[in-house]
Amino acid sequence: TLEYHDCASVNARCQRICDQWDRLGALTQRRRQGLDEAERILEKIDLLHLEFAKRAAPFNNWLDGAREDLVDMFIVHTMEEIQGLIQAHDQFKATLGEADKEFNVIIGLVRDAEAIVKQEQVPGGLVNPYTTLSADLISRKWSEVRALVPQRDQTLANELRKQQNNEMLRRQFAEKANAVGPWIERQMDAVTAIGMGISGSLEEQLHRLKEYEQAVYAYKPSIEELEKIHQAVQESMIFENRYTHYTMETLRVGWEQLLTSINRNINEVENQILTRDSKGITQEQLTEFRSSFNHFDKNRTGRLAPEEFKSCLVSLGYSIGKDKQGDMDFQRILAVVDPNASGYVQFDAFLDFMTRESTDTDTAEQVIDSFRILASDRPYILPDELRRELPPDQAEYCIQRMPPYKGPNAIPGALDYMSFSTALYGESDL
């Protein structure tokens, strides 16, 4: 030993230094462990924040889109459209289970982070550096979406009932309209046929027209019933009906046209009866006048255009030249049958003109003379001659109505123009 007199003091001091070093080492170790633990905790919180940001962003977008869809206004007009919306809504509701799971996971991340921050007393640990979204915002939006779902259910259910009612109205209107429309068309065709004087005497035509008039008025309750259905259709804002091509407007027009046509034809037939009786023409003459008129009334309008009227006159034997004088003669005739210059000749005016002409004893002879010139003084005429000398429709008219010539020296196809002329204008002196 050194036998230093203060050896004990030095040793004690050295021991204290060693002890302090040991304590420093222990503190350093604990500090290191504390820092490691703090790093682990902060890393765990950071991972929770990051995972929240990753999940919350798309979920928030989905919530915004879902909310927009749930409050979106819609306008539908058919069952198919509302059923399509209901089907899409049902498909959306089928995803709510998975959405609820995702919501719980997202909120769970926030709750875990909050628990760690509270337990470890981490200052600022609740601030998420990766997103501005919060659990409260996500929760509020999710609650709003869930509340909107039953509201949407009710809205769609109400619209479905409305469209079911609209569909019922469409079918009711179509069923009635598809019966009324063809009925009106059939009556119109029948009345038109009677008005054309195709068959029967004038008295028979008048009787049938009045029967149709009674039938039309008796059918009026069907129109009134259809009007009631149409009123309900309008109140329901129904703008199309795939079950019928008829509309109330077209049926109203058809109904009014039918009544007008019946009344007009009754009036015309009564006037024709008066004309016939006052002028003393026969039923055969009247029938021939009607047949001639109908032949040139190609469109079955009940009236003749000037050129059609001219062709009709020529077919009846009138000689209308193709020169200026002929045009002047025709214009004078046209002024008589169409005094109002309407551009058309009605049958009543045509009949009045023809009956006045038929009372002229020279008319039949004039017609026969006209045909005799075309026939080169023969008592008969050939179809080819008529086709060569007359316009096509006039020629065919005469060919169809002239009886075969049965006199002496007849050749095949010869036509009797004398019988044809006298049938129109009475007996000739020839």
Side-chain angles (χ1 to χ4, degrees):
T1 64
L2 297 177
E3 295 181 359
Y4 180 66
H5 71 280
D6 201 14
C7 183
S9 175
V10 172
N11 289 337
R13 186 175 180 184
C14 287
Q15 186 60 48
R16 286 196 302 274
I17 291 172
C18 289
D19 292 342
Q20 288 177 352
W21 177 258
D22 291 338
R23 286 196 299 274
L24 180 60
L27 289 171
T28 300
Q29 184 64 29
R30 286 198 297 273
R31 178 65 174 174
R32 178 59 180 266
Q33 291 175 351
L35 290 174
D36 288 343
E37 180 63 18
E39 182 181 25
R40 183 184 64 78
I41 292 171
L42 291 175
E43 187 178 70
K44 186 174 182 180
I45 294 173
D46 187 74
L47 288 174
L48 291 172
H49 285 329
L50 181 60
E51 185 65 17
F52 173 84
K54 288 181 178 179
R55 289 177 175 267
F59 190 69
N60 179 69
N61 292 337
W62 179 84
L63 288 173
D64 289 341
R67 182 188 179 284
E68 183 177 346
D69 291 341
L70 289 171
V71 300
D72 185 34
M73 297 294 294
F74 59 83
I75 298 176
V76 297
H77 300 292
T78 65
M79 284 291 296
E80 289 76 9
E81 290 175 345
I82 186 60
Q83 288 170 348
L85 289 178
I86 292 174
Q87 182 180 6
H89 184 61
D90 289 340
Q91 292 173 350
F92 166 75
K93 290 194 294 184
T95 67
L96 292 179
E98 290 299 321
D100 187 61
K101 291 179 182 179
E102 181 65 11
F103 169 75
N104 289 328
V105 170
I106 291 172
I107 298 303
L109 293 172
V110 176
R111 299 290 177 260
D112 290 346
E114 289 176 345
I116 294 173
V117 170
K118 182 178 181 180
Q119 179 180 348
E120 302 297 337
Q121 297 294 312
V122 180
L126 296 179
V127 178
N128 191 328
Y130 301 108
T131 181
T132 57
L133 298 173
S134 66
D136 290 341
L137 179 63
I138 296 296
S139 297
R140 187 173 71 253
K141 288 186 176 181
W142 174 242
S143 297
E144 186 177 359
V145 167
R146 294 180 65 182
L148 288 172
V149 170
Q151 295 177 22
R152 188 69 166 187
D153 286 336
Q154 187 61 46
T155 301
L156 291 172
N158 292 341
E159 186 62 32
L160 177 62
R161 285 192 294 271
K162 176 184 175 182
Q163 290 303 323
Q164 287 172 336
N165 181 69
N166 289 354
E167 190 74 0
M168 179 189 69
L169 289 174
R170 286 190 187 94
R171 292 180 181 274
Q172 286 179 349
F173 180 85
E175 181 181 4
K176 197 70 178 176
N178 289 338
V180 170
W183 186 88
I184 291 176
E185 292 166 1
R186 289 194 299 271
Q187 306 309 301
M188 183 65 79
D189 291 341
V191 170
T192 300
I194 294 174
M196 299 297 291
I198 296 175
S199 63
S201 66
L202 290 177
E203 286 75 13
E204 291 172 342
Q205 294 172 25
L206 183 61
H207 178 69
R208 290 202 301 273
L209 285 170
K210 290 186 175 181
E211 286 182 338
Y212 277 109
E213 183 181 35
Q214 293 175 356
V216 168
Y217 282 115
Y219 199 73
K220 190 173 182 180
S222 295
I223 300 294
E224 293 172 345
E225 181 182 352
L226 194 57
E227 286 282 9
K228 292 179 181 179
I229 300 175
H230 177 64
Q231 181 64 30
V233 167
Q234 285 189 315
E235 291 173 355
S236 298
M237 303 293 285
I238 300 173
F239 301 108
E240 54 78 31
N241 193 338
R242 62 182 175 178
Y243 301 111
T244 181
H245 67 275
Y246 293 105
T247 65
M248 197 65 238
E249 289 72 19
T250 58
L251 293 175
R252 288 195 198 106
V253 171
W255 177 260
E256 292 300 326
Q257 288 178 341
L258 177 59
L259 289 175
T260 301
S261 178
I262 291 175
N263 292 329
R264 185 183 68 249
N265 278 284
I266 288 176
N267 184 63
E268 289 180 356
V269 172
E270 288 176 342
N271 289 337
Q272 290 169 27
I273 291 175
L274 291 174
T275 301
R276 180 199 64 189
D277 294 343
S278 64
K279 296 299 178 63
I281 63 175
T282 66
Q283 181 64 41
E284 290 72 17
Q285 286 177 303
L286 186 62
T287 300
E288 186 61 28
F289 291 153
R290 170 56 82 175
S291 298
S292 178
F293 186 91
N294 290 349
H295 177 80
F296 292 96
D297 181 16
K298 302 296 185 183
N299 297 325
R300 296 295 183 262
T301 59
R303 59 190 186 180
L304 298 179
E307 288 303 315
E308 293 173 332
F309 176 57
K310 180 187 287 186
S311 298
C312 186
L313 290 179
V314 173
S315 72
L316 292 173
Y318 278 83
S319 177
I320 299 177
K322 297 181 180 181
D323 54 7
K324 185 176 181 180
Q325 183 61 43
D327 289 338
M328 293 174 60
D329 293 340
F330 178 69
Q331 291 302 320
R332 283 196 291 270
I333 296 174
L334 199 59
V336 172
V337 295
D338 184 21
N340 297 323
S342 65
Y344 294 97
V345 178
Q346 304 292 339
F347 180 71
D348 279 356
F350 172 78
L351 178 61
D352 186 62
F353 174 77
M354 293 305 300
T355 52
R356 287 201 309 269
E357 292 295 310
S358 67
T359 59
D360 185 350
T361 56
D362 294 332
T363 302
E365 285 74 10
Q366 291 175 351
V367 173
I368 292 174
D369 286 342
S370 297
F371 280 118
R372 183 180 289 112
I373 292 173
L374 297 180
S376 302
D377 288 330
R378 296 193 307 270
Y380 58 84
I381 193 169
L382 298 176
D384 288 343
E385 292 173 328
L386 289 171
R387 292 191 178 100
R388 183 175 63 250
E389 300 295 338
L390 299 178
D393 52 351
Q394 298 171 16
E396 294 304 320
Y397 174 81
C398 294
I399 292 170
Q400 291 173 12
R401 284 164 177 74
M402 283 186 183
Y405 177 71
K406 298 180 180 179
N409 302 319
I411 64 175
L415 300 174
D416 187 349
Y417 60 80
M418 291 188 181
S419 297
F420 173 77
S421 301
T422 54
L424 290 179
Y425 299 103
E427 292 298 327
S428 170
D429 292 335
L430 297 179

